[in-house]
Amino acid sequence: MKKIVIALLAMVALTLGAKAQKLTDSLTYTKDSLAIANIKTSAVCDMCKETIEKAMAYEKGVKKSDLNVESKILTVTFDPKKTSLEKIRIAISKVGYDADGLAADKNAYDNLNPCCKKDAIH
Amino acid sequence: MKFKIWITTIILLFAVNTYAQIKGVVVDKKDATALVGASAYWLQSQKGTTTNSQGVFELALPPRLPDTLVISYIGYKTDTLLNIRSDKEFVIRLTPSANLNEAVVTDQKSSVSFNMIDPFNKQSLGKAELKKAACCNLSESFETNPTVDVNYSDAISGSKQIKMLGLDGSYAQLTKEMLPGIRGLNTNYGFSHIPGTWVDAIEITKGVGSVSLGYESMSGHINIELDKPEKAERLFVNLFAGDAGRFETNVHAKHKFNNHWSTLLLTHANSTSKRNDFNKDGFLDIPVGYQYNVLNRWRYDNPGKLLATFGIHALYDDRMGGQSSFKNKQENDNRSVYGVNINTKQLEAFGKLGVGFANQPYKSLLLSSSARVYEHNAYYGFKTYRGNEQTGYVNLSYHSILGNTDYKFKTGVSFLYDKFDETYNDSNFKRSEIVPGIFGEINYDIPGKVNILAGVRIDYHNLYGLMINPRIHIKYNVFRYTAFRISGGRGMRVANPFIENAATMASSRNVLVLEKLNPEVAWNYGTSITHSFKIGKGNTTILVDFYRTDFENQVIADLYTNHAQLLLYNLKGKSYSNSFQTEIIYEPLKKLELRAAYKYQDVKATYNDVLLTKPLVAKHRILFNAAYATKFDKWKYDATLKWFGVQQLPSTADQPHNLHTSSKSPNYYTVNAQVTRAFKKWEMYVGVENAFNYMQHHQIVDAANPFGNHFDASAIWGPIMGRVIYTGLRWNLK
């Protein structure tokens, strides 16, 4: 029984790993070896833009970020030696927004201003 | 040439262009019915409008974008749309809520908000403003504000007193969330009993306040909103240390049980252990001591139906001061070392209950009440004071409209019970006040144009009989960005002369009550203009106001007639205060704010048949404040310069020749500055108070003989502490 559980967990881990790997592929690099990533978020308004960009400004290793509210794509420039795409996605999730495949942290999402929730009318 | 510049300036000031419009419809979130008469206004430019019979509003874009659009409607939660950059159409769905507090909208960015909407000449200080002076409690919260002056009351007790319109703080009404706050026996020390981090916002209203809150406001009204479970962080920690040996800790924690119930715990402890004597007069500048302070509040919210908040607040504070070597009471009792001990205890319970009415969001019923037991025990050398106060207060008010939302009214009943038991040296004074009252207030409000608030309250005081206090406030928007206000009304209060003149306990003066003291009564009239415009791209606001307070009766605290006595008697003759203030706030850049203010105060009262200037009030004062923040507030810089003009001092003419001091203080200035660095979850600050180390060096008359007949530590006109450097950190979990 125990073995089966371990095997299942391993499979899950592998699948997740593979998925993460696939998303990481979208990285491009600048001349001074900074990474640029495009992350799809669940932002719906300018207030969301402010929240996410602020979170990025305080995230270790992030040099620059810009969210396009229309396309919901966040373009982040970061130092891959100091942080990773995974960590950046977690940071976005923690302020209440989906980041690529990673769902928004429930607690943070619940605390968002009603105008920033996914079903808000704008 | 000069003429041309003037003309250009005037044209620039009043240049009003036509802008693109935004359009919106405001509806109820549940059933999508249109909300008629909801107000929509721009937070920064303060321009606004209301919705028509279909719930639709149209509003020109403000001159400076982005701006925040605020949509509010009685009985609904206020909604804000941030960072609107272009013309759009909106559907705004408001969520009903029981109308417990009249909503206070404070911008998260601008730390001070003037308003063009209220009939009151009101300023709100938000968290950002309060953080500009990180130390420590409410008495320091006004450091960057020109309207409220704060000074040490004497050279020994460390207590600070405020003044508004040049009049003592006791003439302003101080409420805590619209319930009785700093009043009665804690008038003097109450400011150090509310830790700065607990405060969510402070609203300062000049002139008489609303009749719905009681009869006590004369010079103004200051309302303190504490942190609330619905707004607070899950966990917040603040640590503070100053090089004058002051340490403070604040820990806040909130918990949300479900959609209805939440709670917030606010705790505070401070201690001062270092014995400071900056001016080397052998006396501690501020006492050593400690304070424990805890507040726990609960909230139950059933939107649109019921909103209840209640809590308790407990406090213990103990201070010891006097001569630097003072250690225990024994030394003081045998008169070898002059010592001071001030011990205060307070227990308070408060609650509010708001009831909404189905499908009638403009109607609400609000019950507010509080009960407090306060104890104050002190000795200053061989003078002793013991005070005990028990207060109970209930206010039931009903808010609704007359026909449509242009006419709103508020009416209700209130009941105050206040029992005093004071012992000063060997005399005991007792009194119980029982004051039932009724009030009514009508508000005619066409947003963006005119707002008239007229009210009257009638109270029956068991000791002083019938008291009728009418008040009126009118606001009129002369231009879109220009609000003109006038107000007038009557206020009254019963003085507690021992505690209000506690500073003289730190002197050899004997208190002499010459007659039965009557309630203090004053009329206050005021007018103000608030005007917003642009200088280049920068938002600019100018405020000019004038207030006159005329006392019908006042308890005169006479320090002039005799240096050995504090004489207390009823006013015979004139007593008034004229206060003129002008203030300009200019934001040349998005994160740079500059403020300058000038204030003229002329305060006179009749002392022993002669009209004299009230001592220790600076006739002229100037304040400059500059605040700058980098992107996303990573770094914040603040600096404040305050200049104080000459002050009249209590007379020393009949003191022995060698103890004569000047009858006027010199003018002086102080500079405070602070830098804050924010990180992901915490921030750190470093600051300096009184950067140029300016002090009133001679603070105490005859410091060599504290038990003698000439000793006086109560004539304080300037800083009693030199330069103080402090640092601290804030950590929070959202």
Side-chain angles (χ1 to χ4, degrees), chain B residues 197-212:
Chain B
T197 58
W198 291 14
V199 179
D200 181 51
I202 299 176
E203 297 145 48
I204 304 168
T205 305
K206 281 194 189 181
V208 285
S210 162
V211 290
S212 62

Side-chain angles (χ1 to χ4, degrees), chain A residues 85-97:
Chain A
L85 187 55
E86 213 48 49
K87 281 185 184 160
I88 291 168
R89 286 198 191 109
I90 290 167
I92 297 169
S93 160
K94 279 195 175 154
V95 290
Y97 297 91

Side-chain angles (χ1 to χ4, degrees), chain A residues 46-47 50 53-54 57-59 91 107 111 113-115 121-122, chain B residues 79-80 82-83 85 89 91 93 109 234 632-634 678-680:
Chain A
D46 282 349
M47 189 176 171
E50 187 99 8
E53 288 179 0
K54 184 169 182 177
Y58 284 92
E59 193 60 28
N107 205 348
N111 282 333
N113 186 304
C115 79
I121 294 172
H122 285 273
Chain B
D79 197 5
T80 49
L82 264 87
N83 290 319
R85 285 162 206 276
E89 292 196 3
V91 178
R93 294 153 183 249
K109 279 163 212 150
R234 262 195 294 164
F632 298 113
D633 294 336
K634 274 193 175 175
F679 300 94
K680 198 170 165 185

Side-chain angles (χ1 to χ4, degrees), chain B residues 317-367:
Chain B
D317 187 287
D318 193 79
R319 305 276 145 191
M320 267 193 154
Q323 283 181 307
S324 325
S325 64
F326 178 62
K327 289 269 158 42
N328 63 62
K329 192 169 185 298
Q330 203 60 40
E331 297 169 327
N332 180 59
D333 289 348
N334 64 29
R335 300 192 182 186
S336 58
V337 185
Y338 180 87
V340 169
N341 175 245
I342 300 160
N343 181 289
T344 46
K345 291 171 211 153
Q346 179 179 302
L347 186 64
E348 184 181 43
F350 57 92
K352 282 188 186 183
L353 186 69
V355 182
F357 295 85
N359 303 322
Q360 291 170 304
Y362 44 82
K363 258 192 204 178
S364 65
L365 197 62
L366 175 62
L367 178 72

